[in-house]
Amino acid sequence: MPELFATFADIALPVPLPDPLIYQVPLAWRAQAVPGARARVDVGKRRLIGVIVKVHHDRPEGIALRPILEVLDREPVLTDDLLGLARFMADYYLAPMGEVVRAMLPASLPPWGDRKIWLTDAGALAPPRSDAEAAVIAVLREKGRTTVAALQSQVGLADLDAVLAGLAEGGRVGGEEHRARSARYVNAVELARGELADHLAAAGRSAEGRGVVEYLAAIGRPATVAEVGAAASASPAVVRRLVKLGVLRQFTQVERLALDRHMLGVPGETPEIVLRSDQSHALGQLVGVLDRQAFAPFLLRGMTGSGKTEVYLRAAEEARARGRSVILLVPEIALVPALARAVEQRFGDDLAILHSGLGTGERHQEWERVRRGEARVVLGPRSALFAPLADLGLIVVDEEQDTAYKQEVSPRYNGRDLALVRGRDAGAAIVLVSATPSLESRLNAERGKLELLTLTERAGQGRLPEGILVDLREEKEISRRPGDVHFSERLRFEIRQALADGDQVILLRNRRGYSPILLCRACGEDMRCPDCGLPRTYHRRAKRLICHYCGSMIRAPQVCPQCKEDALEAIGAGTERVEEDFKELFPGVAVDVLDRDTARRPGGLAALLERFDRGDVQVLIGTQMVSKGHHFPKVALTAVLAADAYLRFPDFRAVERTYNLLVQVAGRAGRGDRPGRFVIQTWHPEHYAIQAALRGDDEGFAREELHFRRVFHYPPYTRMVQLLVRDKSRDRAQELIAGLTAQLSGHPLSKGVRISGPAPAPLERLRGEWRFQLLARSADGRALHRLLEEVLPKNPSYDLVIDVDPQQLL
Ligand code: ADP
Ligand code: ZN
């Protein structure tokens, strides 16, 4: 083989090197070694899997190249447009290409070479049609079932794939499907025909049995045995007994893996909705772009319940009607079962859901459906943006202001911002959706970079809730310990009123657990996490002290472990304590708590939402999880128990986050046919974020906040990059960040770049490491990028976090 035709591949590998490494492509792998396919190679002493990003004929001078050991894919797993997006990400986020491509693929995608094949009876009888076929058949005869990779190493054919394809076509070899697992079946039950009273009588005196019957009667649909068990705390034996008694009918059904059991067999009742004129106008704009097949970015805004979802789902249908595919991004899919159900109803098998709660095999199976073009509507969290869809027509980013779009490990990308990049390259319509857009999007709309579509009315009769401000400073008999939560006179009055009217109530306390601190009044011991340096949160029911930063936990002590005094006191309040106080104030009222602790229990979230939806529970206490995406028409009162919790946080986005939370919680009140009420308890009633949320003055908030950002040179007026050094040694971390700071500020390219720091990070100690940071920002994003490219070490010998456009400065 003349040197001229030697082939080389640049391979992005999961190692913290900025650039791909170059390998030689052996003849046997030439056909399969294409950009976007995965390859196994040796790196140093390790054997790793990377993605081929480029194939070329330029032999680098004076380097001995190692060969590719194996190409894992028959077809590329990353298409050309996704490779382009990967290059953009690596450059913009200053992230290693290998980490970028790894983030774009589902975890542990099985290699094509792992596929098992075997000789069929037909194959064993028919004579081979070529030498190549003869070689393959000989190996299969000898080995029985074998993997493609093993076969390849035995026969060493360059065109093994073509040979196998020919054999498979004639039915002479069989192979397992290239997927993690085939369909699974689940056991489901439903109530047998007949009267509920008879069923209950048949269930007899067993509380569990009656619970199962009541649960199924209440939800009015079949449910999996697992769901029923969790919801009614009944064992499978109880369910089996009811089946035997004829109370329940049992059946199996194919589990669509990605679907929440919440959605099992949901009856298809969609009320016919006639769009209002503002909705029709917005939809018309979107459809116009779909027809032009051009890139066009939009900001769709309107308060909660104004019908934004209805608009973008119809736009998605219009895109599909034009043969184009759709990506629907949500911050956290587990929190929006109602949306998942609506999307499932509209798109059926055309839909793939990339649920963040899915196991790797399940995720991979959905991903394969997308790659094969079987599903062309994808719903999922930020990583769903990388779905291998062809002919993309529309990307929707719901709740675009949500920080969950930002990935907090490398590559630290923002799914919302990348949606615009992918959309631009694909010539698609992009819709950012929000009731309270991020400041970035507001400014982009002002500057004409996003076309604004505004929904002005609330659907149905729902009117804006009435805002009520409680100035905690004027409350009598109130303790002023930081973080304590109070039920003010006014709030108690409003709750009594709502309960008396048979309405539902949502109370927000953005902190889980019983109390943020368990303090010894005698010696001041506050049970800090030794690794993170902050007090552990007291979880009374679980009898644990848990560090909310690293998750480490210890048993809650009875007496102070330091001074042995019986003087421990819970300071401040989390959801668990709010629930306790509430039960004391309103005995007998059914209440549930929604936070990460309760949602994590199996069936927890779905069952809890269903109880509240049915009205079995009148009051829901929760963290910001209560503010997300749910639609509860019977909620007449919502309250934020301590609006200041975030305001003083050392993060320039703290005010924006507080405002968003307040508005979202307000939006939960009065979504049905009656206006609701909305209580804010605060120590800072004059603060503009609180005032704006109270009066529904969104423009006013944006004006004040943009002014603050401009004056202090914060994003969106600047691009910001956080550099953070983590180290076991405090001195070393400090030295390293000081060195970086000096290098940056002294560099000739640093003109117009502001450097703040070095300083301890807000969480100076986390998981046993010391953390020091600096913030670099500039109105000229490109200039900042150039400076960082010049100065930052290409292959740092220490732990350096580079966060471009940081969302949380922790
Ligand atoms: P948003 O996404 O802005 O919070 P949704 O699209 O979820 O609002 O709409 C809120 C509720 O109003 C949903 O139950 C939806 O079905 C209903 N809805 C939306 N548009 C209309 C309309 N034009 N007429 C009647 N009901 C509507
Ligand atoms: Zn910790």
Side-chain angles (χ1 to χ4, degrees), residues 129-153:
R129 292 178 299 198
S130 65
D131 290 352
E133 283 195 5
V136 168
I137 288 172
V139 173
L140 289 179
R141 233 187 251 287
E142 184 199 324
K143 297 228 150 176
R145 290 166 74 96
T146 184
T147 64
V148 174
L151 190 66
Q152 175 73 296
S153 67

Side-chain angles (χ1 to χ4, degrees), residues 145-389:
R145 290 166 74 96
T146 184
T147 64
V148 174
L151 190 66
Q152 175 73 296
S153 67
Q154 292 247 327
V155 298
L157 286 171
D159 56 347
L160 176 67
D161 254 25
V163 177
L164 286 181
L167 288 168
E169 217 164 88
R172 290 181 292 155
V173 300
E176 62 192 9
E177 264 300 287
H178 181 39
R179 52 163 71 183
R181 221 186 295 153
S182 48
R184 277 202 315 209
Y185 295 87
V186 290
N187 282 327
V189 287
E190 63 184 356
L191 281 182
R193 236 166 261 170
E195 294 293 318
L196 179 60
D198 297 340
H199 290 326
L200 284 171
R205 280 205 303 269
S206 136
E208 289 95 5
R210 296 173 67 91
V212 169
V213 172
E214 278 162 4
Y215 179 74
L216 284 168
I219 61 175
R221 58 166 172 82
T224 62
V225 173
E227 176 188 349
V228 175
S233 358
S235 67
V238 171
V239 177
R240 274 198 303 276
R241 193 176 62 88
L242 291 172
V243 173
K244 258 203 203 120
L245 288 169
V247 174
L248 302 185
R249 196 179 77 80
Q250 179 159 6
F251 58 99
T252 43
Q253 79 171 52
V254 180
E255 189 180 27
R256 268 288 300 283
L257 289 175
L259 294 185
D260 202 277
R261 92 199 135 269
H262 198 66
M263 294 179 268
L264 186 88
V266 176
E269 26 92 25
T270 7
E272 198 44 49
I273 287 181
V274 182
L275 291 189
R276 299 185 316 263
S277 64
D278 55 345
Q279 287 174 306
S280 309
H281 172 77
L283 181 61
Q285 299 287 100
L286 297 176
V287 171
V289 169
L290 290 172
D291 283 335
R292 284 206 308 280
Q293 311 222 352
F295 167 58
F298 295 91
L299 174 60
L300 173 61
R301 59 185 291 196
M303 64 186 88
T304 317
S306 60
K308 301 184 293 297
T309 310
E310 187 64 32
V311 169
Y312 74 66
L313 289 182
R314 289 205 192 195
E317 285 176 315
E318 296 288 344
R320 289 301 297 121
R322 286 160 179 75
R324 308 187 61 195
S325 44
V326 175
I327 297 176
L328 304 173
L329 296 183
V330 289
E332 158 85 271
I333 195 161
L335 293 182
V336 283
L339 175 67
R341 199 180 322 160
V343 176
E344 165 75 5
Q345 271 173 19
R346 271 175 219 241
F347 300 104
D349 282 346
D350 196 20
L351 172 73
I353 297 188
L354 303 175
H355 196 301
S356 37
L358 290 181
T360 49
E362 299 167 318
R363 235 188 237 232
H364 170 236
Q365 185 179 325
E366 286 293 271
W367 188 87
E368 273 294 341
R369 291 180 58 234
V370 176
R371 178 160 79 141
R372 288 197 299 261
E374 291 168 21
R376 299 201 47 204
V377 178
V378 172
L379 170 66
R382 58 173 184 261
S383 60
L385 181 67
F386 308 127
L389 286 164

